[in-house]
Amino acid sequence: MMLHILTKRSDFLSANKGLRNARAGFVLLTRPNDGKGMRFGITVTKKIGNAVIRNRMKRRFRELIKEALPQSGLADHDHVLIGRAGGVERDYHTMAQELDKALSRAREGRSDPPRGRRPRRGNRKTGSA
């Protein structure tokens, strides 16, 4: 089975509207893509660390995806892995098991409960003088 890579920002943004399954080292987003095949994308932000750490994490994610998606992935869905701070130090086999569990939850149509919007940080004026 051929895996396609997500490259457009719009594809990543639309995947964010799909199912979300969070684990200790990553968050898996899945969303149907209207018959465009099985596609995947990886995102690791600068919050995680410097370029060396982010690239190491992306390499690990690519290997996890290449192992898991052909058997466990959802057909005609976009899969996006978002790196979390604990993902670099986590054991590879543990992450592989977590990805498998997250994919099976997504296959069942189950997702983490929606999060409310976080309040802004910092000193905000309340408007009452």
Side-chain angles (χ1 to χ4, degrees), residues 15 18-21 28-32 74 77-80 103 106:
L19 296 178
R20 172 186 209 87
N21 284 293
L28 174 69
L29 305 175
T30 52
R31 181 158 191 222
L74 287 74
H77 275 67
D78 290 341
H79 305 75
V80 176
L103 284 168

Side-chain angles (χ1 to χ4, degrees), residues 71-88:
Q71 301 91 348
S72 305
L74 287 74
D76 293 329
H77 275 67
D78 290 341
H79 305 75
V80 176
L81 273 182
I82 302 172
R84 285 181 137 182
V88 177

Side-chain angles (χ1 to χ4, degrees), residues 1 9 23 32 37-38 47 55 61 72 82 86 98 112-113 116:
M1 172 172 280
R9 182 172 190 267
R23 296 290 175 258
M38 194 179 297
K47 287 188 218 173
N55 287 332
F61 282 166
S72 305
I82 302 172
E98 289 174 346
D112 292 343

